[in-house]
């Protein structure tokens, strides 16, 4: 014993290498599993789906391989397949047959999303979590996210006039079966207006996931083809955020939380991982990240050229988004990831 103590006393105090060797914990797959900090699981993933009128339509979106514009019958099948894989959360985008200046199709009880919600609810009951994107850009003939005004001297989104319409759209979707509404227009006061209308309609239990920090991004390109919603003039920079701003995202999130948002979203994800992290650290609320269409398309395109390994890169990206602080990820990889993670 004394010998041992003596020899221990003679050892140099460890100062890193070679006593400390981080590689020990990477030595084999089982030890790597045991020390892994971030685990991606299928429950974290929300699959965006595009629904349009018609029957038997499953039209692939050119820039988003494996994603489709679906008529309601095909949407029901698609959701069934996803449920089989373990994907249980969906966000619906509607492509209406007719567009007009105010996006009135969005409020129609017989509108495309309302019909789709009823069909899915009838088929799957509570097995599917049905979320709805709440915005007018798919429904207006000018492609902006609400009604327009020239009051400020140029044609611009009329924030306050759009709020009651947006709230009405949400109530209509919840009546049709939506479990959660996700306003994406970046209007000031949108969460408060929606919360008040949902509560007044008896839906105080329905959560709001706000696209709180949504940037004016080039990464939405493929989506605008999918949803047929590009702005017909100008861009969305007067309502979506400047990619250069971080503190402003925290203010947006703070306001949405004060107005009653239950989940806050950062969108896009990859160029904004710092924002995801700051939001999570500052507020500690459920954070969603949208791995948007352009982020998906880049991986698909490079993989098709044989330049990267799609599965490896996609799982790496999704894991990175989660590691940054996202609790859930909206992603067009949801189905593939469910297969890969099995
Ligand atoms: C607006 C909306 C957009 C996306 C989701 N909701 C487009 C936009 O703001 O132009 C983009 C999603 C994606 O790129 O995957 N309704």
């Amino acid at each position: 014993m004394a010998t041992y103590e003596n020899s221990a006393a003679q050892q140099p105090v460890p100062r890193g290498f070679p006593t400390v060797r981080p590689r020990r914990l990477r030595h084999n797959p089982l030890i790597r599993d045991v020390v892994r900090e971030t685990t991606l699981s299928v429950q974290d993933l929300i699959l965006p789906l595009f629904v349009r009128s018609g029957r038997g339509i499953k039209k692939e979106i050119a820039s988003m391989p494996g994603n489709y514009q679906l008529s309601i019958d095909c949407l029901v099948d698609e959701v069934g397949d996803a449920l089989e894989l373990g994907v249980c959360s969906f966000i619906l985008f509607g492509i209406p047959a007719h567009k007009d200046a105010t996006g009135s199709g969005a409020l129609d009880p017989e509108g495309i999303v309302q019909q789709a919600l009823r069909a899915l609810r009838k088929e799957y009951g509570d097995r599917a979590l049905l979320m709805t994107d709440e915005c007018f850009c798919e429904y207006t003939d000018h492609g902006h996210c609400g009604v327009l005004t020239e009051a400020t001297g140029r044609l611009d989104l009329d924030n306050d006039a759009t709020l009651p319409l947006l709230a009405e759209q949400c109530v209509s979707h919840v009546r049709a079966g939506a479990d959660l509404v996700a306003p994406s227009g970046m209007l000031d006061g949108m969460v408060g207006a929606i919360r008040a209308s949902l509560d007044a309609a008896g839906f105080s239990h329905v959560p709001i996931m706000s696209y709180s920090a949504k940037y004016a991004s080039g990464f939405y390109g493929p989506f605008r083809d999918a949803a047929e919603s590009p702005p017909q003039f100008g861009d969305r920079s007067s309502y979506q955020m400047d990619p250069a701003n971080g503190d402003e995202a925290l203010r947006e999130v703070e306001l949405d939380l004060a107005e009653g948002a239950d989940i806050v979203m950062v969108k896009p994800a990859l160029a904004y991982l710092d924002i995801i992290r700051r939001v999570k650290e500052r507020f500690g609320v459920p954070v969603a990240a949208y791995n948007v269409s352009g982020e998906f398309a880049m991986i698909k395109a490079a993989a098709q050229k044989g330049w990267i390994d799609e599965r490896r890169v996609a799982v790496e990206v999704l894991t990175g988004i989660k590691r940054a602080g996202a609790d859930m990820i909206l992603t067009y990889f949801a189905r593939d990831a469910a297969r890969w993670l099995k």
Side-chain angles (χ1 to χ4, degrees):
M1 205 55 180
T3 321
Y4 172 78
E5 276 174 6
N6 283 345
S7 67
Q10 282 156 17
Q11 292 297 316
V13 179
R15 292 197 196 281
F17 183 82
T19 310
V20 178
R21 290 179 181 268
R23 288 186 54 210
R24 285 186 199 118
L25 297 182
R26 299 178 205 138
H27 188 64
N28 71 34
L30 289 178
I31 198 136
R32 290 198 293 273
D33 283 351
V34 126
V35 298
R36 183 161 301 121
E37 297 173 34
T38 307
T39 313
L40 187 67
S41 90
V42 65
Q43 284 97 318
D44 306 329
L45 308 178
I46 302 167
L47 176 63
L49 292 167
F50 302 97
V51 58
R52 54 172 294 159
S53 58
R55 271 200 75 77
I57 297 172
K58 184 171 179 178
K59 188 175 161 217
E60 188 159 30
I61 300 152
S63 52
M64 300 172 69
N67 289 270
Y68 307 86
Q69 291 186 351
L70 301 159
S71 56
I72 290 173
D73 54 325
C74 293
L75 173 77
V76 169
D77 293 345
E78 191 78 8
V79 166
D81 292 346
L83 286 171
E84 291 282 303
L85 289 167
V87 176
C88 299
S89 302
F90 305 90
I91 184 160
L92 298 183
F93 294 90
I95 306 156
H98 305 289
K99 300 179 189 243
D100 60 26
T102 58
S104 61
L107 311 178
D108 183 352
E110 294 307 316
I112 187 67
V113 169
Q114 286 85 343
Q115 288 187 46
L117 287 164
R118 285 194 291 267
L120 291 172
R121 193 54 78 206
K122 180 156 169 266
E123 191 71 23
Y124 302 114
D126 287 341
R127 290 174 58 209
L129 188 72
L130 302 176
M131 313 183 175
T132 44
D133 181 82
E134 304 291 346
C135 193
F136 285 89
C137 60
E138 295 117 58
Y139 298 89
T140 52
D141 50 17
H142 45 73
H144 282 279
C145 300
V147 293
L148 300 177
T149 175
E150 272 182 302
T152 57
R154 63 182 176 85
L155 207 50
D156 194 7
L157 196 63
D158 190 335
N159 190 92
D160 297 11
T162 303
L163 293 180
L165 301 174
L166 187 62
E168 197 181 329
Q169 180 185 33
C170 292
V171 170
S172 174
H173 286 163
V174 172
R175 283 213 174 96
D179 291 301
L180 174 155
V181 294
S184 64
M186 285 299 282
L187 300 182
D188 294 338
M190 68 179 184
V191 173
I194 293 167
R195 186 71 271 156
S197 292
L198 288 178
D199 290 358
F203 299 127
S204 60
H205 61 287
V206 173
I208 299 173
M209 174 167 75
S210 180
Y211 288 64
S212 300
K214 177 176 179 181
Y215 287 86
S217 169
F219 286 100
Y220 307 148
F223 172 94
R224 291 178 186 175
D225 295 336
E228 299 178 3
S229 63
Q232 297 303 306
F233 65 90
D235 59 26
R236 304 206 207 289
S237 307
S238 79
Y239 38 107
Q240 298 180 351
M241 281 180 50
D242 182 336
N245 295 354
D247 295 343
E248 186 186 356
L250 301 184
R251 279 202 297 281
E252 284 281 5
V253 166
E254 187 172 23
L255 284 167
D256 281 358
L257 290 172
E259 291 175 30
D262 301 281
I263 302 172
V264 294
M265 192 197 297
V266 175
K267 175 186 174 186
L270 282 187
Y272 304 90
L273 294 175
D274 58 324
I275 309 298
I276 296 172
R277 164 53 56 128
R278 289 176 73 186
V279 168
K280 188 65 190 175
E281 282 187 344
R282 170 81 71 94
F283 299 102
V285 299
V287 176
Y290 202 139
N291 175 221
V292 300
S293 57
E295 297 171 334
F296 173 82
M298 289 195 303
I299 293 178
K300 281 283 177 191
Q304 279 177 0
K305 282 186 169 286
W307 290 349
I308 58 170
D309 175 341
E310 175 182 352
R311 171 177 175 165
R312 193 169 168 190
V313 170
V315 170
E316 187 174 335
V317 158
L318 294 172
T319 304
I321 294 169
K322 198 164 174 206
R323 192 194 63 240
D327 299 286
M328 64 203 90
I329 307 172
L330 296 85
T331 178
Y332 304 97
F333 282 116
R335 272 166 301 218
D336 292 332
R339 280 187 214 101
W340 298 331
L341 295 172
K342 269 213 158 80

